[in-house]
């Protein structure tokens, strides 16, 4: 695959989860959640890497990724920033797209469109995402930034939240050099939640996949489906996102 800009998607994944243990390996329709996530990312036609931990409990993630021919980097459980840095460094990535594995219906085509916008800017200090100004449902999240910004965060970030959540040092512009860019859509659909963190989230995603084949739908089609079915939205409407 041609990748002249050395762009890669790094997805963080681990088995331990306080609210829904083992969530990324839970089966839906005969496949683990992680497989839907990876298949959706591969629609972007960009290389995908998994950054997991050195914990023995994450051996199943490593085994699954290897079976799918997805490269894996293993590092510190708490210092996720170091995991991203080492994964990007070892794979010579100049531009990193950060996603999380609890988004099984993430849209690779959305990521492709965002990468096109990012690439046109020709700005290594640009942080570009659909997370800070949120118009897409939670579950389609991605962040795009240069290795230069990641490297600076790796060497200079010190707060636990900066290490665990990878990008706060960058998107809070601690260096004073970062330019923020926002990938948005005209209509705000941020009230919808299609990420996996609780049993209620799992139930919604299970129904979307098993009854509506959402794994084959675009982000716009999934949003349209939720617009038409408020009873589905209510399944996890009360779930609160964990704070950084």
């Amino acid at each position: 695959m041609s990748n002249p800009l050395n762009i890669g998607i790094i997805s963080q994944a681990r088995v331990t989860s306080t609210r829904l243990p083992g969530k990324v390996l839970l089966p839906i329709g005969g496949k683990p959640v992680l497989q839907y996530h990876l298949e959706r990312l591969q629609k972007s036609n960009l290389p995908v890497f998994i950054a997991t931990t050195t914990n023995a409990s994450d051996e199943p993630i490593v085994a699954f990724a290897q079976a799918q021919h997805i490269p894996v980097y293993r590092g510190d459980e708490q210092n996720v920033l170091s995991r991203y840095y080492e994964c990007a460094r070892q794979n010579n990535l100049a531009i990193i797209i950060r996603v999380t594995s609890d988004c099984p219906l993430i849209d690779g085509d959305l990521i492709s469109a965002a990468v096109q916008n990012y690439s046109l800017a020709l700005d290594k200090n640009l942080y570009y995402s659909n997370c800070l100004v949120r118009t897409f449902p939670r579950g389609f999240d991605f962040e795009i930034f240069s290795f230069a910004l990641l490297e600076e965060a790796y060497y200079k970030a010190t707060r636990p939240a900066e290490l665990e959540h990878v990008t706060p040092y960058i998107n809070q512009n601690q260096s004073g050099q970062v330019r923020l860019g926002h990938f948005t859509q005209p209509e705000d659909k941020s009230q919808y939640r299609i990420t996996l963190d609780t049993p209620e989230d799992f139930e919604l995603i299970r129904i979307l996949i098993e009854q509506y084949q959402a794994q084959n739908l675009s982000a716009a089609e999934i949003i349209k489906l939720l617009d038409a079915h408020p009873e589905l939205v209510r399944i996890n409407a009360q779930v609160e996102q964990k704070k950084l």
Side-chain angles (χ1 to χ4, degrees), residues 87-107:
C87 182
R89 187 182 66 80
Q90 291 183 17
N91 291 287
N92 298 310
L93 299 182
I95 298 166
I96 295 94
I97 301 157
R98 176 183 178 239
V99 300
T100 59
S101 59
D102 51 8
C103 297
L105 293 176
I106 195 167
D107 189 337

Side-chain angles (χ1 to χ4, degrees), residues 40-173:
R40 300 274 294 181
L41 288 176
Q42 286 165 338
K43 288 179 65 185
S44 69
N45 290 317
L46 292 167
V48 180
F49 305 87
I50 286 182
T52 191
T53 82
T54 53
N55 297 350
S57 58
D58 285 321
E59 291 291 347
I61 286 178
V62 175
F64 176 80
Q66 288 173 340
Q68 302 288 316
H69 307 292
I70 304 287
V72 177
Y73 174 79
R74 304 186 75 171
D76 187 272
E77 179 177 18
Q78 302 304 325
N79 191 343
V80 191
L81 173 57
S82 71
R83 266 194 264 159
Y84 269 80
Y85 173 74
E86 290 295 347
C87 182
R89 187 182 66 80
Q90 291 183 17
N91 291 287
N92 298 310
L93 299 182
I95 298 166
I96 295 94
I97 301 157
R98 176 183 178 239
V99 300
T100 59
S101 59
D102 51 8
C103 297
L105 293 176
I106 195 167
D107 189 337
D109 290 328
L110 269 191
I111 291 174
S112 290
V115 165
Q116 224 170 3
N117 294 352
Y118 176 92
S119 301
L120 290 172
L122 297 172
D123 183 357
K124 69 179 176 58
N125 290 316
L126 174 63
Y127 164 93
Y128 193 59
S129 83
N130 63 351
C131 307
L132 294 186
V133 176
R134 189 177 287 281
T135 58
F136 288 93
R138 195 175 289 277
F140 295 141
D141 301 16
F142 58 81
E143 303 169 278
I144 309 174
F145 44 88
S146 66
F147 181 77
L149 288 181
L150 178 63
E151 186 167 52
E152 181 181 22
Y154 172 74
Y155 281 111
K156 294 186 176 178
T158 55
R159 293 186 296 125
E162 293 171 342
L163 305 182
E164 182 184 353
H165 299 289
V166 183
T167 53
Y169 182 91
I170 298 171
N171 63 35
Q172 291 171 13
N173 195 15

